[in-house]
Amino acid sequence: MAISKDLLPYHWKKNPGRQSRLPLSRKWENTQVTFNTDKEIFLNHSLDSLFFPPGQEYEFKIPAGQYEFSTLVGLLGGTEFQSQVSGSFKIYSGDRKLGEWNLTGSVKERWTPKKEVLEIGESGSLRLVWESGDSYLFVGEPLLYPKEVLASFADSGKPKSVILIVIDSARKDFFGSYGYPYSVTPVMDQLAKESVFFENPFANGNWTKPSMMSFFHSEYSSNIGLGNSWFSTKPYQRKVYYGKNRDNLAKTFREAGYFSKTIMNNVFFLDYTTVGLDLGFHNSFQVGMDIVDTEVLTNHAIQFVNESKDKPYFLHFNLNTPHASYSPPPEDMAVVRSVVPTDVFYKYESPVQRYLGEMHYTDREIGRLVEALKKQGTYDETMIIVTGDHGELFSAHHDYSYHFIMQTRFGHGETHYDEEIAVPYFIKLPKSIQDSLGSDLAKNGNGGQIRIPGQSSLLSLAPTLLGFLDLLPKGSTYRGVDYSACIRTTGVCLKESFIYTEGRMSESVRTENYKYIRRYPGFTTVRRTSAGEPHTMAEELYDLKKDSEEKNNLSPLPEGESLLQIARADFRRENFLKRNHLRILIPPCSEPLCRDFLSLNVQGSIYDWEVSDAIQLSSGSAKTISLQKESKATPTSRLGEEVVFKTVNPELGAMFSFSRNGKTIPVRFGRYGLEYQRSMNHLEDLIVSERQPEGFPSSPLPWVYNDGAFSGTKESEVQREMGKEVKKILETWGYIHE
C-alpha cells in the first residue's frame, strides 16, 4: 500500500520524512515521528522511521551477503486511547524467513532496540512485513551494515567519527584559549591547543535559529527560506526550504554512510513543532527542561559514543548552558570563585558572575564526554568541533535594545555588537589527518595547534570539516570557505573580507576595518531599556580600528559620512541575501507636467529598494510605502522608469494604486498585464512573472509584477508557450489592451 496521507492524525508529533525524496503518493512511508518518552523532562525522542500501518510490507533490493540490521521500534494504536498494541514483525529474503519479532504487549510510544544478523540470498530481496489488526509500527533509524564493512572499520582502527559541540550563548572572551586570564574552561582550552584554531570567528546569526541553520547549511538562514525574525516557521518558508535541493551537515554525513544523531535542548531541529525542520538526522534526542538538561544530555551522549564506537557517526551535541537563566550548580560557582580573583569577580554584575559559573559547568560536562572517548580508545581518531551559536550581551554601553524575551539587557538576538556575535570555533582533527598535513600552517610550532588568523565565520564550518574528511559533495550548495584546502596544501587561506550576520529584522556586515549595522525599514525604532524612551536608529557604524569596543556610532556624525558611504556601497555590492523583487513601471509623462503618486502595501514586508533621485519616497510601516515623482513630457520619453522593491519574506501579494495629476488610472499586473482600476486581493498568481513581461518598458500604463527571484517561479518551455497563447486569448476577450 502506498501511503500518501497521514493515517494517524491524532498523533501530531510527526511529519513525512524529508530526505527519502519519495513522491507525494508515498510521502508518509518514511516518517519523522517523535515519542514523548519522559514527561518530567519533556524528552522528545524523534526517529527517522519506516511507517507500517496494519498489513504493510516493503521490499528492498540489495546485494547478497551477510548484514547486521539494527533499529529502534515503536508502536501506536489506531486510535488515541487504544489501550494495547500488538503484532508481529517478520523479515524475509525471498520466501525464506530470517527473523520474527513478536511485539504484542509492547508499551505504546516507547522506543525498543532490536538487532538481527541477516543472510540475504542470491535473489537480493529483503522483505519487511508487519502483521497486525489494529496497531501501527514505526521502524526507527533502520541501519543495515554489510558485515565486511563493519569488519573493515575494525581492521583499519576506529572510524573517523565527528562530534560537533555547540554551546548556546558562548562568548569566546571567557575562554582561556581566547585570552581570558583565569581557568574557567580548562577542558576546552586543552582541546583548543590540539586543534585548527580560528583566532577571530563570528556567527552568521545573533540568535539560535538563524545562526544554526546558517552553519549547518553553510548558507544564510534567509537564503534557505527561514528568515531571522521569529521562532515559528511559516508555511511559505517551509515551502521554499523543502522545495529546493540543498545540502546540510546531517544530510551529507547520512549519504556518506554515517549514522547521524543530535542530542540537544533545541526544538529547531524537530519538524513537527512548526518551529523546526527535518535536516535528516536518523535520531533526534531533545530535552525541553532547562537547568537539568545539561547533565541528562551529557549522560546520553556518553551512552551513545560507547554504543557506537565501532561505526562512523556524526553527533551534534548541543548544550543549552550557559544560556540564561544562568543557574550554575553551587560546586561550579565555587570553582569560579577560587580561580577568578575577588576584586575581578565583583566587578561583574550578578548575571555575568553566574554566566561564568555556567561556563565552567559546561566545560566540566564536556570533560566527561572527552574522558569517555579517551577511555574507550576513540579520542585520537574522533574529530571534535567546538563552537557557539552566538555570544551574549553584557556591556552597559550597548544597552540600546530592549530584549523582549529576557526583559533585560543580558541576552542576545537584538544587537550586532561583537560581544553578541563573536564565538569560539576550533576543530580537533583525527590524529591520522593531523599527521598527514604538510602545509606551512601545520608546521607552525604550536604543539599541534594550527592557527587561522584574521576574521572568519561559521559559514566555513560545514565545508571545512567535510573537506578534511573528503566528504564534500560534488557541486554542493555549501558557500563558505573550505579551510582544509589551504591547511593541506598551500598554506594561504582565503580571506573572509565581509562577514554578514542576521538578526531580528536587522543585519550587519563586519570587515577588519568597520562594522555596519542596518535595520529593515519599519523596524528602526529601538529603546535603551524596557522603560526607556524609544528612538529611531536605522543604521549604526563603528570604526573597528579606532573603536574596538563599538562605543561611538559614526552613522549620524559628519566625520563618519565617508566611511558610511563605503559601508553602504559594500553592503549593496555584496548582495548577501536573495530576495523577491517587486518591479514597478512608472509610465513616461505624456502631458506638460505629471505629478505621480503611488501607494503600495506589500504582503512580504519591505527589505530594501532601488529608486532614482527623482523620486521622493516615504514609508509609514514595514509593509507600506508611497512614492511621489514630478516630470515633464519630452520628445524622447517613450520608456517608463522602473522602481524595484525587495521584500523580506517570499510572500508574493501586494496592494497597489497609482494616480497622475490627481486622477486614478488603471494598473497592469503580472505576466499578462491584466488591467485593474484598483488592486485586488489574492493576486498572488496574477502578479508573478519570472521574467520581464512583454511590452513592460514601453507600457503607457503603470505595471507591477513580482519576479519571484528568490521563492522560485520558473516556467517550463511548455508553460511559456501556453502563457503566450493565454495572453492572445485574453487580448481577444478585451482583458488586455495595447
Side-chain angles (χ1 to χ4, degrees):
M1 176 181 70
I3 308 174
S4 61
K5 63 179 182 179
D6 182 3
L7 300 178
L8 293 173
Y10 77 84
H11 187 85
W12 50 271
K13 292 186 175 183
K14 65 186 183 307
N15 289 89
R18 304 291 187 172
Q19 305 303 326
S20 61
R21 305 254 168 231
L22 288 170
L24 291 176
S25 60
R26 301 179 58 198
K27 67 177 183 177
W28 281 95
E29 293 172 31
N30 172 221
T31 300
Q32 184 207 47
V33 62
T34 304
F35 292 163
N36 186 196
T37 56
D38 187 335
K39 291 180 171 55
E40 289 189 2
I41 59 171
F42 303 116
L43 174 54
N44 286 317
H45 199 171
S46 177
L47 302 186
D48 192 35
S49 305
L50 294 174
F51 177 38
F52 290 81
Q56 184 75 5
E57 66 176 77
Y58 299 111
E59 184 172 10
F60 304 91
K61 293 295 182 182
I62 59 175
Q66 196 174 57
Y67 294 82
E68 180 186 283
F69 175 53
S70 63
T71 180
L72 295 173
V73 298
L75 291 97
L76 291 172
T79 60
E80 183 175 3
F81 301 107
Q82 183 175 319
S83 59
Q84 294 183 323
V85 288
S86 61
S88 181
F89 182 71
K90 297 178 180 180
I91 307 170
Y92 295 89
S93 180
D95 294 328
R96 182 166 53 92
K97 186 161 70 172
L98 305 181
E100 180 175 354
W101 304 336
N102 182 2
L103 301 178
T104 299
S106 298
V107 178
K108 289 194 305 178
E109 201 168 338
R110 289 291 181 274
W111 294 115
T112 304
K114 293 287 184 179
K115 186 179 291 188
E116 196 89 37
V117 175
L118 308 179
E119 190 75 43
I120 303 299
E122 292 301 321
S123 66
S125 169
L126 173 63
R127 193 159 54 94
L128 308 177
V129 180
W130 173 236
E131 295 180 355
S132 176
D134 61 357
S135 301
Y136 292 71
L137 173 69
F138 297 90
V139 177
E141 58 171 53
L143 301 177
L144 192 69
Y145 281 103
K147 294 291 281 186
E148 61 268 21
V149 171
L150 294 177
S152 71
F153 292 150
D155 292 342
S156 63
K158 301 301 179 186
K160 294 178 178 60
S161 294
V162 179
I163 301 177
L164 170 58
I165 300 174
V166 180
I167 306 166
D168 203 315
S169 308
R171 285 173 59 125
K172 75 173 188 180
D173 55 352
F174 285 121
F175 284 72
S177 52
Y178 284 100
Y180 194 63
Y182 314 111
S183 185
V184 173
T185 56
V187 172
M188 290 185 283
D189 293 339
Q190 179 57 43
L191 268 174
K193 292 177 182 178
E194 308 167 28
S195 297
V196 176
F197 183 83
F198 295 83
E199 293 182 353
N200 201 20
F202 294 89
N204 300 103
N206 68 2
W207 64 285
T208 298
K209 183 176 178 179
S211 175
M212 287 210 316
M213 289 304 174
S214 68
F215 67 69
F216 260 83
H217 295 83
S218 189
E219 175 60 280
Y220 305 122
S221 178
S222 287
N223 282 351
I224 58 177
L226 303 179
N228 55 47
S229 61
W230 191 235
F231 297 104
S232 60
T233 304
K234 303 296 185 185
Y236 61 79
Q237 294 175 320
R238 299 164 77 85
K239 181 179 179 182
V240 171
Y241 177 79
Y242 288 125
K244 297 180 180 180
N245 187 20
R246 61 185 81 253
D247 296 305
N248 71 67
L249 276 174
K251 177 185 175 185
T252 297
F253 276 114
R254 174 194 184 111
E255 292 175 348
Y258 283 64
F259 179 74
S260 60
K261 175 153 182 160
T262 174
I263 300 174
M264 58 178 177
N265 184 345
N266 192 323
V267 290
F268 298 123
F269 288 163
L270 292 179
D271 194 322
Y272 77 84
T273 58
T274 74
V275 170
L277 294 165
D278 175 11
L279 270 63
F281 284 105
H282 292 97
N283 187 315
S284 301
F285 183 93
Q286 199 269 336
V287 175
M289 179 73 74
D290 189 23
I291 301 176
V292 303
D293 57 335
T294 299
E295 186 175 353
V296 172
L297 295 171
T298 306
N299 290 342
H300 191 69
I302 292 170
Q303 176 187 342
F304 170 74
V305 299
N306 284 332
E307 292 174 349
S308 308
K309 61 181 181 293
D310 296 324
K311 299 171 186 173
Y313 60 78
F314 167 57
L315 171 63
H316 166 239
F317 180 46
N318 195 152
L319 292 176
N320 201 42
T321 50
H323 190 286
S325 58
Y326 315 138
S327 303
E331 58 266 36
D332 294 286
M333 281 305 303
V335 172
V336 169
R337 290 298 311 275
S338 71
V339 299
V340 179
T342 299
D343 60 328
V344 174
F345 181 81
Y346 281 111
K347 286 180 181 178
Y348 297 128
E349 295 172 86
S350 177
V352 183
Q353 295 171 357
R354 301 196 307 274
Y355 177 90
L356 283 171
E358 287 219 339
M359 284 291 291
H360 185 271
Y361 177 37
T362 303
D363 188 76
R364 177 164 62 87
E365 290 297 291
I366 290 172
R368 290 205 294 130
L369 177 59
V370 168
E371 189 59 34
L373 294 169
K374 290 180 176 179
K375 190 175 294 184
Q376 69 180 217
T378 58
Y379 175 80
D380 283 349
E381 283 306 295
T382 301
M383 177 184 282
I384 301 175
I385 305 97
V386 174
T387 191
D389 55 352
H390 50 75
E392 200 80 334
L393 185 72
F394 290 153
S395 298
H397 65 266
H398 282 159
D399 187 16
Y400 285 104
S401 202
Y402 169 49
H403 286 259
F404 63 93
I405 296 174
M406 301 308 298
Q407 306 286 299
T408 171
R409 78 165 184 269
F410 303 102
H412 53 267
E414 305 297 327
T415 76
H416 289 259
Y417 307 118
D418 277 5
E419 61 180 321
E420 197 165 334
I421 63 174
V423 293
Y425 173 29
F426 45 89
I427 304 171
K428 186 199 81 68
L429 299 174
K431 189 175 187 302
S432 57
I433 294 178
Q434 180 96 7
D435 292 345
S436 70
L437 297 177
S439 73
D440 294 336
L441 282 168
K443 300 173 182 175
N444 59 11
N446 285 310
Q449 188 183 74
I450 301 170
R451 297 182 73 87
I452 305 296
Q455 67 177 19
S456 58
S457 81
L458 295 189
L459 220 60
S460 73
L461 189 150
T464 298
L465 66 94
L466 292 170
F468 275 122
L469 296 168
D470 296 317
L471 294 178
L472 266 173
K474 289 183 179 179
S476 79
T477 58
Y478 298 125
R479 70 178 288 172
V481 174
D482 172 11
Y483 284 94
S484 76
C486 66
I487 293 171
R488 283 174 144 172
T489 54
T490 67
V492 178
C493 294
L494 291 173
K495 297 291 185 183
E496 294 187 58
S497 300
F498 299 96
I499 291 179
Y500 175 84
T501 299
E502 294 192 76
R504 290 186 173 93
M505 295 301 190
S506 62
E507 56 199 343
S508 64
V509 178
R510 191 190 197 280
T511 73
E512 298 281 9
N513 297 318
Y514 70 77
K515 167 83 65 65
Y516 173 65
I517 302 170
R518 173 186 180 270
R519 293 173 183 83
Y520 298 175
F523 297 92
T524 59
T525 298
V526 296
R527 57 180 76 212
R528 294 184 180 275
T529 68
S530 60
E533 183 179 350
H535 64 285
T536 296
M537 190 187 293
E539 295 174 304
E540 292 176 72
L541 178 68
Y542 299 93
D543 184 336
L544 298 180
K545 294 295 186 183
K546 299 177 181 178
D547 179 23
S548 60
E549 294 187 31
E550 301 168 283
K551 291 183 176 180
N552 184 27
N553 178 15
L554 296 175
S555 68
L557 304 178
E559 58 265 35
E561 181 61 28
S562 61
L563 184 58
L564 182 62
Q565 295 306 319
I566 292 171
R568 285 173 175 170
D570 288 345
F571 169 77
R572 285 182 164 79
R573 183 190 65 252
E574 293 300 314
N575 195 27
F576 298 98
L577 297 190
K578 303 181 183 78
R579 298 293 192 182
N580 282 347
H581 299 84
L582 198 66
R583 297 181 177 272
I584 301 167
L585 179 85
I586 299 177
C589 182
S590 58
E591 303 176 35
L593 178 66
C594 293
R595 291 189 175 93
D596 296 330
F597 180 81
L598 180 156
S599 65
L600 182 71
N601 185 284
V602 179
Q603 187 178 354
S605 296
I606 298 161
Y607 172 70
D608 204 358
W609 48 71
E610 298 171 12
V611 299
S612 71
D613 293 337
I615 292 176
Q616 295 180 336
L617 183 149
S618 61
S619 177
S621 72
K623 293 179 180 290
T624 62
I625 204 157
S626 61
L627 303 179
Q628 294 184 64
K629 179 185 178 184
E630 190 171 290
S631 60
K632 296 179 181 180
T634 67
T636 59
S637 58
R638 295 186 179 89
L639 298 180
E641 178 177 359
E642 185 178 20
V643 177
V644 178
F645 293 98
K646 299 179 183 180
T647 59
V648 174
N649 299 318
E651 298 161 299
L652 298 170
M655 298 289 289
F656 185 93
S657 67
F658 184 90
S659 66
R660 172 161 285 176
N661 294 332
K663 180 182 178 182
T664 300
I665 59 177
V667 177
R668 291 179 168 178
F669 286 90
R671 69 185 69 169
Y672 304 128
L674 295 176
E675 294 177 18
Y676 292 92
Q677 186 69 24
R678 55 185 299 116
S679 185
M680 297 171 56
N681 290 319
H682 310 300
L683 273 173
E684 286 86 347
D685 292 332
L686 294 176
I687 202 173
V688 181
S689 179
E690 67 165 296
R691 62 194 185 283
Q692 188 180 86
E694 185 181 350
F696 178 84
S698 57
S699 172
L701 294 175
W703 197 327
V704 56
Y705 72 97
N706 191 317
D707 65 8
F710 170 59
S711 57
T713 59
K714 293 297 183 186
E715 295 174 304
S716 67
E717 287 299 322
V718 172
Q719 288 173 318
R720 289 179 184 178
E721 292 305 312
M722 289 172 60
K724 293 177 183 177
E725 185 173 318
V726 168
K727 183 178 181 184
K728 290 179 181 177
I729 294 172
L730 291 171
E731 286 175 351
T732 67
W733 288 356
Y735 285 102
I736 299 175
H737 309 279
E738 293 298 343

